[in-house]
Amino acid sequence: MDSYNTIKNYKADDFLLSVWDKSEIYIKALKNWAKQGIYRNPLDNSLLINYPPITAASPVSSAMYSDWRDSLLAMPDDMAVALYIHIPYCSRRCTYCNYYSLIKPEAPESYIDLLIGEINNYQNILAGKKIKVNSIYIGGGTPSLLTEKQLEEIIDIIYKVFKVKDNIEVSMEFHPELIKNKQADNYLKHVRNLGINRVSIGIQSLDDLILTEINRGHTADDALSLLELILAQGFDKVNIDLIYGGLPFESLNSVYNTLKALMRLAPTSISKHFCEIKAGSVDFERYKKVRYYIPIGTRIFAFRP
Ligand code: SF4
């Protein structure tokens, strides 16, 4: 939806004006929340996580669709895009998460068919003109729920429809639960052979008490075993995602021990995400009922103490 909106509001001034108009609606919603005791800083990053912000988006009409198609056709030949493929399924709901995802043991075939159909649609619209792609990111949700065959189908259609530049970064997100799949080693080899050269693993913490409490469905040992398997595959880049600053039962020691164990294995990068408790998450509901649930001293979020 955002991309339609970006293209529709292609003139910078018009676009800025529409963001400004829509932000009034958001501020009104914030004021309503505040009346109920829920406070949120208007500069909270959830307003900025989508660009343009979600508040600037409007429903897609058929007129907008043809604007979008015309904009694609008008793209200069040397222009390249970053391609993001979303897999909105997870095997379980982590308590801090407020992203949209459906709980399924695997990604349904019907979704893969629709995804392939949508990508094929680009080919129909562009009638032979191929969009250049300079990076591919497969995120979620939990992309590592995809079967080898599903992943291969997605990569194949991308290369068929788009002109993928040589030596680009192709990323995929992994959940440590993959290690429980006896074929994890083969799965990773397959991923590597498909040209995926950067992986990002959502480890979050290496404290088993925390992992259980946030419903991650794996242990610290599982996460470390998967990381070792991944490192052994020789991916160009291996990133670890961690969450800190508000997880239940978290302490300075648990953060320090997590970092120490990970640094020993030397991934390419560690991305630290500050824990925020947001509407839509299980933690948000828990905290409304039991406000001392979260460790004292952590910078928290939306509620007046
Ligand atoms: S944090 Fe990731 S794995 Fe957990 S529910 Fe959210 S999207 Fe799914």
Side-chain angles (χ1 to χ4, degrees):
M1 192 192 294
D2 283 347
S3 62
Y4 296 134
N5 200 78
T6 311
I7 293 165
K8 179 170 164 47
N9 297 289
Y10 198 64
K11 284 188 206 138
D13 285 345
D14 289 354
F15 171 64
L16 286 174
L17 206 60
S18 84
V19 173
W20 182 252
D21 282 355
K22 296 283 182 348
S23 71
E24 289 300 313
I25 297 169
Y26 201 90
I27 287 167
K28 207 184 275 177
L30 288 175
K31 284 180 181 164
N32 281 338
W33 282 14
K35 276 188 206 152
Q36 297 167 42
I38 301 170
Y39 292 86
R40 184 165 215 166
N41 180 345
L43 297 179
D44 185 300
N45 68 4
S46 67
L47 282 177
L48 305 174
I49 209 160
N50 297 291
Y51 187 81
I54 205 79
T55 46
S58 41
V60 179
S61 64
S62 53
M64 287 168 79
Y65 177 80
S66 47
D67 280 357
W68 168 70
R69 190 191 52 204
D70 293 347
S71 305
L72 280 179
L73 287 168
M75 269 173 63
D77 282 346
D78 56 352
M79 191 166 156
V81 300
L83 201 61
Y84 175 75
I85 304 288
H86 192 57
I87 309 297
Y89 301 100
C90 298
S91 64
R92 58 182 54 236
R93 187 81 179 152
C94 307
T95 62
Y96 55 82
C97 181
N98 75 328
Y99 291 142
Y100 174 80
S101 69
L102 295 170
I103 307 305
K104 303 254 181 217
E106 52 202 25
E109 282 301 327
S110 54
Y111 181 74
I112 308 302
D113 290 347
L114 287 168
L115 192 57
I116 290 173
E118 187 181 346
I119 296 173
N120 261 325
N121 206 21
Y122 279 88
Q123 195 168 39
N124 299 335
I125 291 167
L126 294 167
K129 172 178 167 172
K130 288 199 167 185
I131 294 180
K132 290 196 186 87
V133 170
N134 61 8
S135 74
I136 300 170
Y137 192 103
I138 306 175
T142 305
S144 49
L145 284 183
L146 292 168
T147 63
E148 293 181 13
K149 182 169 161 287
Q150 289 173 329
L151 192 56
E152 193 167 338
E153 284 170 352
I154 293 170
I155 297 286
D156 280 356
I157 191 74
I158 290 173
Y159 277 80
K160 190 171 144 223
V161 169
F162 300 105
K163 185 171 169 32
V164 180
K165 290 183 167 181
D166 292 338
N167 304 318
I168 62 163
E169 186 172 281
V170 185
S171 294
M172 175 173 165
E173 292 176 350
F174 279 77
H175 192 295
E177 69 188 354
L178 179 72
I179 198 71
K180 293 179 183 168
N181 174 347
K182 290 198 177 58
Q183 305 298 320
D185 202 19
N186 285 341
Y187 186 84
L188 290 168
K189 283 195 179 91
H190 189 70
V191 168
R192 187 82 188 88
N193 289 339
L194 287 174
I196 289 161
N197 50 26
R198 178 185 179 274
V199 302
S200 186
I201 318 165
I203 285 185
Q204 323 310 6
S205 169
L206 287 177
D207 183 308
D208 280 338
L209 185 59
I210 295 175
L211 290 172
T212 305
E213 194 61 22
I214 62 178
N215 197 35
R216 287 290 291 171
H218 63 84
T219 62
D221 280 350
D222 290 336
L224 287 171
S225 302
L226 183 70
L227 175 57
E228 280 172 11
L229 266 191
I230 284 175
L231 289 169
Q233 288 297 331
F235 288 96
D236 295 353
K237 292 180 187 159
V238 176
N239 175 65
I240 306 293
D241 277 340
L242 290 184
I243 301 181
Y244 75 102
L247 291 175
F249 302 121
E250 183 185 83
S251 64
L252 271 180
N253 265 349
S254 67
V255 177
Y256 175 74
N257 290 335
T258 296
L259 282 170
K260 202 164 84 173
L262 291 174
M263 302 281 273
R264 210 176 290 133
L265 292 172
T268 322
S269 59
I270 297 179
S271 307
K272 305 183 296 338
H273 303 273
F274 196 82
C275 181
E276 291 179 316
I277 299 186
K278 294 180 177 172
S281 69
V282 173
D283 280 345
F284 189 83
E285 295 307 314
R286 289 205 285 203
Y287 188 73
K288 274 201 291 190
K289 292 187 193 121
V290 189
R291 297 200 175 193
Y292 50 81
Y293 176 76
I294 299 297
I296 294 167
T298 50
R299 191 190 75 142
I300 319 181
F301 44 92
F303 281 91
R304 194 208 298 266

